[in-house]
Amino acid sequence: MIGKTIDELKVGDTAEFTKTVSEADIYLYAGVTGDVNPAHIDEVHASHTFFKTRIAHGMLLAGFISTVLGNRLPGYGTIYMKQELEFLAPVRIGDTVTARAEVVEVEKEENRVKLRTTCVNQDGTTVVDGEALVSPPKDPKHSG
């Protein structure tokens, strides 16, 4: 099974992934990456910050975008080449985040697709905005 090939993609195509961020997600991400910044894992410390509580790692949210690109649009077999991100608002434990990708440009000759990538919380606030460049899977029937 493969995702959509370059010939199956068009400007305006979209896909999403939604997840509620748990305390376990934050601790697991910290453990895997080594990013143990107290803003993420220490409630006492975080209570004295601008956000007043722990916040999710920005790159955890970027991982939700990766889920959309690698599993949904274009999907399985996609190679993630580039990502630009702007972190606009914090995500707290218990927030539900929807990562979304929308095709904005298809470069058939180069087998490249540009997508607008966003993460929006349960209140409709955009918490991450960016753009990705991917190489969608090639059609195995035509890859000689």
Side-chain angles (χ1 to χ4, degrees):
M1 173 160 95
I2 65 167
K4 290 186 174 185
T5 65
I6 198 78
D7 292 324
E8 297 172 303
L9 293 164
K10 64 184 182 311
V11 172
D13 286 351
T14 63
E16 296 180 342
F17 169 76
T18 300
K19 178 155 183 21
T20 300
V21 176
S22 70
E23 183 175 44
D25 294 328
I26 292 172
Y27 282 122
L28 288 168
Y29 185 88
V32 167
T33 64
D35 182 351
V36 294
N37 182 323
H40 307 302
I41 63 167
D42 182 340
E43 186 61 43
V44 173
H45 171 84
S47 69
H48 300 290
T49 68
F50 175 79
F51 301 116
K52 304 296 184 209
T53 191
R54 290 174 290 166
I55 59 172
H57 301 76
M59 295 309 289
L60 173 62
L61 307 175
F64 298 166
I65 295 168
S66 181
T67 296
V68 175
L69 300 176
N71 296 336
R72 305 213 171 141
L73 183 72
Y76 301 125
T78 296
I79 304 300
Y80 204 163
M81 301 175 67
K82 181 179 178 180
Q83 178 72 59
E84 294 177 9
L85 296 168
E86 185 176 2
F87 301 103
L88 302 173
V91 170
R92 295 170 176 87
I93 294 168
D95 283 355
T96 299
V97 175
T98 299
R100 183 173 195 266
E102 179 180 356
V103 174
V104 295
E105 187 177 330
V106 177
E107 302 170 15
K108 286 191 178 199
E109 298 76 30
E110 301 292 322
N111 197 50
R112 304 285 186 263
V113 177
K114 289 184 184 177
L115 303 102
R116 174 154 189 234
T117 55
T118 57
C119 291
V120 177
N121 71 13
Q122 70 278 356
D123 299 321
T125 301
T126 300
V127 297
V128 177
D129 191 17
E131 183 176 270
L133 179 66
V134 302
S135 178
K138 295 198 186 264
D139 185 342
K141 295 182 296 263
H142 298 100
S143 60

